[in-house]
């Protein structure tokens, strides 16, 4: 079976491919092909390769806008713009799509652009045997008089099968019995009607009831079946059947016939008398519910009237079974068919379908440019369904009819000027040839687009951004934004970093930008102590042809974080640890300077301001530590009972939000005066040499940092002066952030004065309370003879 279907499909495919190759006209090519698929296919099942069958290069499909533009069942199929294959979109149920229509054809209209092509594809949905025959009722009761003669016919309820063709009801079977046989009458569209025929006279005294089983079998492979139980009650004597006065009943009826209109009147007579001769009319059991909603019959007069709205486009004829039954104790029933043919009237207005490939065309388009395809149709037949289409207003457009029936191309007729008119509302009028004529109106809007004549513009120029050091690589830092006055693709902006192999642009190697959003990311973490500021350029380009672009300068300033631990300069032992030994005479007085802990922090501001505290000491009453200078002094004179050696642990920490710290250990040895003088000479010599070396390196370090600090200040002043007042006030409230940590300042807190290490401040400077711009005020200085700052 599948091989035969495949061979049939190949034959039909070859025929329609040949037709497609021959149906080429002008700049718009049209062809028609046909495929066949079985119903209940899985979602995504391939129907056929349209591009291959039409000889279209599949590489141009997406560029030319290959798609379905009009169809009676568009949602059931989809096309792939990559390979041109037509796919099933969802599950297709032939019985739902076409009901009982055979064959079940779905017409698709396929379109391509540049140049315009229209192709017609017909997909035949082949039926599969997915429904079993069924009866409207599972049981049926018949009453037959014993006087019924052999050959008497009793029409039974026909089974219904939603499938079509060979998969519908194929034949009926009747359970074995001696009195009845089964005959099947083929009624064409209405299917096969089972008729029960009496073979042997009934004898009520022998048997009162007969039970039969009617089985309906379809022609599928494997076959499916449905069953109905028939119960026959044998009654006594009413031996004349009603007889209709005409052999054939046929009538013509307009589809716009109002409800209540008399269609036809049937008449039957019965030779019996009394109730056995009184006739009752009714629809046959095989008349479906849809027909019963459209027509009604008077049970007494036999008059058939219109009950519902008729539609020629839905069905153009009906064959209705009428039953005439007497009122005898054992009713006698006669069947007759009435044929009603529906006459078409012009009751459907034309339909306009617009397929616009571009609702906006450039103002430099040449005359003859196709704007849209117009398809008109009418559900009526004959002249009532013949439609013409025209434009209502005088515009620089016209309709060109094609060789395909009821297809028009809307094209421009003259040059367009967007500055004169940027939009056209085009009114389409479709009229049929019926009497009276019906018409439809549809308006489409065509926009005139501009050419790409505007470059992207950045929101600011230049940009200035402030980034905290130790940023997370790959995380968004900031973004730039540009806009374009053009529209559509001419206004789609892409960003890129302007990379040059120069020293000034060395930082662009670790900067990246999102080409669509302008968001800028860093590929590495910044270190304020290494880099304080850098500059790069961003290029914004639109997607027009040719593309236009502009660039902007981006200045990035790195902000300091507390990421450097204080470094102990003194004491430092020979092995590099922060530990030192100091010897002092036992006879020193209170306030004697034992030693001074020296430290620095590479950070700036509060992150580099250091405080000293005494963490551990063997005797708290003997030694004191200056919190701000790191000086260790005696608090009292030594006694004979005091230990000869004392260990002091000093904690040095900065003032960052998350404070960092380091510790130093000082061992103080108390010696007798003579020993102290002897050891002092040697120690002072070594200490002076070590301090000279440390001082030398410290001076070099401070000098280098100061030079970098001065250069940074000059660069910042030049950049600040180049900015507008509003811009700088928005992004830079205080540029006083770079510098070295080797400058010290003083500040007040209540009645106390403190010395701190900070940037760009002279020794003894004080931060003025309440200032939000870190204004420096030079106060009066009070120093002791020793030169140390005290409370």
């Amino acid at each position: 079976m599948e091989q035969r279907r495949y061979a049939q499909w190949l034959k039909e495919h070859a025929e329609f491919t040949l037709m497609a190759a021959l149906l080429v006209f002008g700049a718009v090519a049209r062809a028609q092909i046909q495929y066949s698929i079985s119903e209940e296919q899985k979602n995504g099942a391939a129907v056929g390769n349209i591009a291959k069958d039409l000889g279209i290069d599949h590489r141009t499909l997406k560029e030319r806008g290959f798609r379905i533009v009009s169809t009676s069942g568009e949602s059931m199929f989809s096309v792939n713009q990559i390979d041109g294959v037509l796919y099933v979109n969802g599950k297709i149920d032939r019985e739902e799509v076409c009901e009982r229509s055979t064959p079940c054809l779905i017409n698709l209209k396929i379109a391509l652009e540049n140049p315009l092509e229209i192709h017609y594809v017909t997909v035949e949905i082949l039926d599969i045997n997915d429904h079993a025959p069924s009866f409207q009722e599972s049981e049926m009761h018949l009453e037959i008089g014993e006087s019924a003669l052999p050959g008497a016919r009793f029409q039974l309820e026909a089974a219904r099968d939603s499938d079509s063709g060979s998969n519908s009801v194929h034949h009926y079977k009747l359970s074995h019995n001696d009195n009845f046989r089964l005959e099947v009458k083929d009624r064409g569209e209405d299917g096969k009607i089972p008729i029960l025929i009496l073979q042997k006279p009934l004898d009520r005294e022998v048997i009162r009831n007969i039970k039969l089983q009617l089985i309906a079998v379809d022609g599928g492979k494997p076959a499916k079946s449905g069953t109905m139980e028939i119960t026959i009650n044998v009654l006594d004597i009413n031996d004349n059947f009603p007889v209709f006065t005409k052999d054939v009943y046929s009538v013509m009826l307009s589809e716009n016939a109002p409800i209540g209109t008399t269609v036809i009147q049937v008449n039957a007579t019965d030779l019996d008398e009394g109730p056995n001769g009184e006739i009752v009319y009714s629809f046959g059991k095989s008349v479906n519910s849809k027909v019963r909603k459209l027509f009604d019959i008077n049970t007494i007069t036999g008059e058939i009237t219109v009950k519902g709205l008729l539609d020629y486009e839905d069905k153009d004829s009906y064959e209705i079974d009428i039953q005439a039954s007497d009122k005898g104790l054992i009713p006698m029933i006669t069947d007759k068919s009435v044929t009603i043919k529906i006459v078409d009237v012009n009751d459907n207005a034309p339909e306009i379908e617009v397929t616009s490939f571009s609702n906006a065309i450039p103002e430099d388009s040449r005359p003859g440019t196709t704007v849209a395809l117009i398809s008109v149709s009418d559900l009526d037949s004959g002249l009532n369904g013949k439609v013409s289409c025209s434009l209502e207003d005088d515009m620089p457009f016209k309709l060109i009819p094609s060789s395909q029936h009821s297809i028009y191309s809307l094209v421009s007729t003259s040059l367009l000027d967007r500055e004169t008119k940027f939009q056209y509302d085009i009114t389409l009028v479709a009229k049929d040839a019926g009497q009276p004529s019906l018409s439809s109106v549809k308006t489409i809007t065509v926009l005139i687009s501009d050419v790409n004549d505007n470059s992207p513009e950045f929101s600011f120029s230049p940009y200035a951004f402030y980034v905290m050091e130790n940023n997370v690589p790959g995380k968004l830092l900031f973004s730039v934004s540009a806009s374009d006055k053009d529209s559509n693709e001419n206004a789609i902006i892409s960003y890129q970093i302007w990379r040059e192999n120069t020293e000034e642009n060395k930082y662009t190697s670790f900067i990246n930008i999102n080409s669509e959003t302008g968001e800028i990311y860093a590929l590495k973490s910044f270190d304020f102590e290494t880099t304080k500021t850098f500059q790069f350029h961003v290029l914004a380009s639109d997607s027009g042809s040719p593309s236009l672009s502009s660039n902007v300068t981006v200045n990035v300033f790195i902000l300091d974080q507390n990421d450097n631990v204080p470094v102990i300069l003194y004491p430092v032992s020979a092995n590099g640890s922060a530990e030192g030994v100091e010897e002092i005479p036992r006879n020193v007085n209170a306030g004697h300077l034992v030693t001074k802990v020296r430290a620095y922090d590479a950070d700036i501001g509060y992150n580099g301001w250091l405080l000293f505290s005494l963490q551990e000491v063997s005797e708290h009453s003997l030694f004191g530590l200056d919190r701000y200078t790191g000086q260790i002094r005696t608090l009292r004179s030594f006694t004979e009972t005091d230990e000869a050696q004392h260990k002091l642990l000093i904690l040095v920490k900065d003032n960052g939000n998350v404070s960092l710290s380091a510790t130093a250990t000082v061992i103080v040895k108390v010696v007798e005066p003579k020993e102290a003088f002897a050891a002092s000479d040697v120690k002072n010599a070594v200490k002076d040499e070590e301090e000279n070396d440390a001082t030398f390196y410290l001076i070099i370090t401070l000098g280098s940092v100061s030079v970098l600090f001065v250069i940074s200040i000059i660069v910042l002043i030049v950049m600040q002066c180049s900015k507008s007042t509003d811009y700088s006030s928005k992004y830079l409230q205080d540029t006083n952030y770079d510098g070295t940590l080797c400058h010290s300042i003083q500040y007040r807190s209540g009645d106390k004065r403190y010395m701190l290490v900070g940037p760009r401040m002279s020794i003894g400077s004080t931060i003025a309370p309440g200032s939000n711009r870190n204004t420096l005020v030079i106060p009066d200085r009070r120093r002791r003879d020793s030169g140390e700052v005290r409370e």
Side-chain angles (χ1 to χ4, degrees):
M1 175 64 73
E2 294 297 329
Q3 292 179 349
R4 289 199 298 271
R5 289 182 179 176
Y6 181 72
Q8 180 66 21
W9 180 85
L10 287 178
K11 180 180 179 181
E12 294 175 353
H13 176 71
E15 294 174 356
F16 283 99
T17 302
L18 180 59
M19 293 175 63
L22 295 176
L23 292 174
V24 178
F25 180 79
V28 181
R30 299 174 180 84
Q32 182 167 350
I33 57 177
Q34 181 168 337
Y35 300 106
S36 297
I37 62 168
S38 298
E39 65 173 332
E40 305 294 337
Q41 291 282 349
K42 293 182 179 179
N43 183 25
V47 178
N49 193 319
I50 298 176
K52 180 179 179 181
D53 294 338
L54 293 176
I56 301 173
D57 188 355
H58 67 86
R59 293 171 295 182
T60 66
L61 295 179
K62 187 172 183 181
E63 179 182 350
R64 296 182 62 188
F66 181 68
R67 57 178 174 153
I68 299 174
V69 297
S70 176
T71 173
S72 58
E74 183 177 356
S75 61
M76 293 184 287
F77 299 94
S78 62
V79 293
N80 190 313
Q81 292 187 340
I82 302 301
D83 55 15
V85 176
L86 180 67
Y87 292 96
V88 173
N89 187 17
K91 182 179 179 182
I92 299 179
D93 186 354
R94 190 202 67 82
E95 287 73 29
E96 180 180 346
V97 174
C98 297
E99 294 184 354
R100 300 182 62 84
S101 298
T102 303
C104 179
L105 301 178
I106 304 299
N107 296 314
L108 305 177
K109 187 187 299 179
I110 307 298
L112 298 96
E113 299 179 50
N114 299 323
L116 287 177
E117 291 184 26
I118 294 296
H119 301 281
Y120 297 89
V121 177
T122 300
V123 181
E124 180 180 2
I125 309 301
L126 301 177
D127 183 53
I128 63 175
N129 191 24
D130 57 345
H131 294 86
S134 62
F135 293 88
Q136 187 173 357
E137 297 177 357
S138 61
E139 293 183 2
M140 181 179 182
H141 294 272
L142 289 177
E143 294 180 341
I144 303 175
E146 65 177 342
S147 60
L149 300 176
R153 303 165 65 87
F154 305 93
Q155 183 171 317
L156 304 178
E157 176 189 350
R160 298 296 178 184
D161 193 331
S162 299
D163 296 321
S164 65
S166 60
N167 293 326
S168 63
V169 176
H170 183 263
H171 64 276
Y172 292 89
K173 295 188 296 184
L174 187 66
S175 60
H176 176 73
N177 70 95
D178 296 328
N179 299 96
F180 296 91
R181 66 179 177 85
L182 190 65
E183 181 178 300
V184 178
K185 181 179 180 181
D186 193 345
R187 293 292 296 276
E189 185 178 347
D190 291 333
K192 294 179 171 59
I193 308 299
I195 300 174
L196 195 63
I197 301 177
L198 183 64
Q199 294 186 119
K200 179 180 178 181
L202 300 175
D203 189 349
R204 183 175 179 275
E205 287 68 34
V206 175
I207 184 170
R208 298 173 60 92
N209 301 98
I210 300 175
K211 291 188 177 295
L212 303 175
Q213 189 178 64
L214 180 63
I215 303 172
V217 183
D218 64 23
K221 292 185 179 180
K224 296 183 178 181
S225 62
T227 304
M228 180 176 68
E229 299 292 334
I230 303 174
T231 301
I232 301 174
N233 297 320
V234 181
L235 303 178
D236 238 337
I237 310 244
N238 179 20
D239 55 352
N240 284 289
F241 288 89
V243 177
F244 285 93
T245 57
K246 290 184 180 180
D247 293 333
V248 177
Y249 287 93
S250 180
V251 66
M252 305 286 287
L253 180 65
S254 297
E255 65 173 327
N256 61 351
I259 296 175
T261 300
T262 298
V263 180
I264 195 172
Q265 185 174 8
V266 296
N267 185 34
T269 60
D270 194 314
L271 298 177
D272 294 322
E273 294 183 351
N276 293 332
E278 295 180 10
I279 306 299
V280 176
Y281 301 95
S282 63
F283 287 127
K285 296 184 181 297
S286 62
V287 176
N288 58 43
S289 58
K290 184 176 181 181
V291 175
R292 293 175 185 269
K293 291 179 181 179
L294 297 177
F295 301 98
D296 196 9
I297 186 170
N298 189 306
T299 59
I300 299 175
T301 65
E303 185 180 44
I304 300 176
T305 57
V306 177
K307 183 181 178 181
L309 298 177
L310 302 174
D311 189 355
Y312 172 85
E313 287 69 38
D314 184 22
K315 193 170 185 179
D316 59 0
S317 66
Y318 297 90
E319 188 173 358
I320 306 174
D321 288 329
I322 306 298
Q323 287 185 344
S325 173
D326 59 31
K327 294 182 179 181
L329 185 61
I330 304 174
M332 306 295 286
I333 301 173
T334 302
D335 298 317
K336 182 64 66 174
S337 294
V338 176
T339 302
I340 303 174
K341 295 183 179 180
I342 308 301
V343 179
D344 183 41
V345 296
N346 191 22
D347 59 344
N348 290 283
E351 294 182 358
I352 302 175
E353 181 185 352
V354 179
T355 302
S356 179
F357 293 101
S358 177
N359 63 349
I361 60 175
E363 61 177 333
D364 57 353
S365 298
R366 295 180 178 179
T369 300
T370 300
V371 178
L373 293 180
I374 313 299
S375 176
V376 293
S377 60
D378 195 311
L379 296 177
D380 295 319
S381 61
L383 292 177
N384 296 331
K386 187 176 182 179
V387 183
S388 62
C389 189
S390 62
L391 298 181
E392 190 175 66
D393 302 320
D394 184 16
M395 292 187 177
F397 299 94
K398 68 177 181 179
L399 287 174
I400 299 178
S402 66
S403 59
Q404 187 70 27
H405 178 64
S406 301
I407 299 295
Y408 296 85
S409 297
L410 179 65
V411 299
S412 60
T413 58
S414 62
L415 293 175
L416 303 173
D417 185 1
R418 182 179 180 275
E419 286 66 37
T420 302
K421 192 169 184 178
F422 70 94
Q423 176 179 316
Y424 289 91
D425 294 322
I426 302 175
T427 301
L428 305 171
V429 180
K431 293 183 179 181
D432 61 29
Q435 293 296 330
S437 177
L438 298 179
S439 63
S440 296
V441 176
K442 192 179 186 83
T443 301
I444 62 173
T445 299
V446 178
L447 301 176
I448 309 303
S449 63
D450 202 1
V451 295
N452 186 27
D453 56 352
N454 289 284
S455 299
E457 296 181 0
F458 284 94
S459 303
F460 300 96
S461 182
Y463 279 93
F465 296 103
Y466 298 85
V467 178
M468 192 70 69
E469 68 171 331
N470 300 319
N471 57 291
V472 178
K475 188 176 181 181
L476 174 66
L477 295 180
F478 44 80
S479 62
V480 298
S481 177
S483 59
D484 196 308
K485 295 179 181 179
D486 295 320
S487 61
N488 299 328
E489 67 276 359
N490 294 332
I492 299 175
I493 298 175
S494 61
Y495 303 88
Q496 65 182 38
I497 293 178
W498 190 358
R499 305 183 190 274
E500 293 181 328
N501 296 326
T502 62
E503 183 66 22
E504 295 179 355
N505 286 271
K506 64 180 180 179
Y507 297 102
T508 59
S509 61
F510 52 83
I511 294 294
N512 204 356
I513 188 170
N514 187 311
S515 62
E516 296 180 357
T517 63
E519 295 177 341
I520 297 176
Y521 305 83
L523 304 180
K524 59 174 284 186
S525 295
F526 298 120
D527 184 9
F528 174 83
E529 286 71 35
T530 303
T531 304
K532 294 178 174 59
T533 180
F534 63 90
Q535 182 185 90
F536 62 94
H537 301 280
V538 174
L539 183 68
S541 304
D542 60 30
S543 299
S545 180
S547 176
L548 300 179
S549 61
S550 60
N551 65 81
V552 69
T553 300
V554 179
N555 298 307
V556 181
F557 301 94
I558 312 301
L559 301 180
D560 184 46
Q561 273 189 334
N562 189 24
D563 59 344
N564 288 282
V565 178
V567 178
I568 305 296
L569 297 177
Y570 182 83
V572 178
S573 65
N575 60 5
S577 63
E579 182 176 339
V581 179
E582 298 291 340
E583 294 183 352
I584 61 174
R586 182 177 290 276
N587 61 350
V588 296
N589 297 323
H592 177 77
L593 178 63
V594 177
T595 187
K596 181 178 181 180
V597 179
R598 297 179 178 88
Y600 81 97
D601 194 312
D603 294 318
I604 68 168
Y606 285 98
N607 297 330
W609 296 346
L610 302 180
L611 295 177
F612 301 84
S613 62
L614 196 58
Q615 294 294 104
E616 297 180 10
V617 62
S618 57
E619 180 57 58
H620 288 281
S621 63
L622 273 177
F623 301 98
L625 174 65
D626 189 291
R627 184 179 183 185
Y628 307 107
T629 64
Q631 294 179 350
I632 301 175
R633 295 180 180 273
T634 58
L635 297 177
R636 63 174 175 81
S637 301
F638 289 94
T639 64
E640 294 298 330
T641 60
D642 290 330
E643 298 289 338
Q645 180 172 309
H646 300 272
K647 179 179 179 181
L648 285 73
L649 181 64
I650 292 89
L651 176 68
V652 183
K653 67 176 182 179
D654 56 33
N655 278 270
N657 289 333
V658 179
S659 179
L660 302 178
S661 62
T663 59
T665 303
V666 176
I667 307 297
V668 179
K669 293 183 178 181
V670 181
V671 299
E672 296 303 322
K674 293 181 180 181
E675 297 176 2
F677 291 140
S680 173
D681 294 338
V682 177
K683 178 180 178 181
N684 287 340
V686 175
K687 188 172 182 180
D688 289 343
E689 183 178 353
E690 291 177 352
E691 289 184 353
N692 289 337
D693 292 340
T695 302
F696 175 73
Y697 290 118
L698 181 60
I699 290 173
I700 293 176
T701 302
L702 295 178
S704 302
V705 173
S706 299
V707 171
L708 291 175
F709 166 74
V710 172
I711 293 173
S712 300
I713 292 299
I714 294 173
V715 172
L716 287 176
I717 292 174
V718 172
M719 294 177 62
Q720 187 71 12
C721 293
S722 66
K723 299 178 182 179
S724 64
T725 304
D726 294 339
Y727 184 85
S728 62
S729 64
K730 179 177 180 181
Y731 290 98
L732 189 58
Q733 294 295 334
D734 183 14
T735 59
N736 218 6
Y737 69 98
D738 58 342
T740 76
L741 298 176
C742 301
H743 297 275
S744 62
I745 67 169
Q746 296 181 9
Y747 70 95
R748 293 178 182 275
S749 178
D751 58 349
K752 296 183 179 181
R753 180 189 301 270
Y754 302 99
M755 174 179 287
L756 301 176
V757 179
R760 300 187 58 174
M761 300 181 182
S762 61
I763 297 176
S765 298
T766 305
I767 299 177
S771 172
N772 60 0
R773 297 185 58 85
N774 298 334
T775 304
L776 299 180
V777 179
I778 306 300
D780 296 335
R781 300 180 179 180
R782 296 180 298 169
R783 298 178 180 271
R784 295 191 176 184
D785 295 340
S786 62
E788 301 297 339
V789 179
R790 288 289 190 179
E791 294 182 3

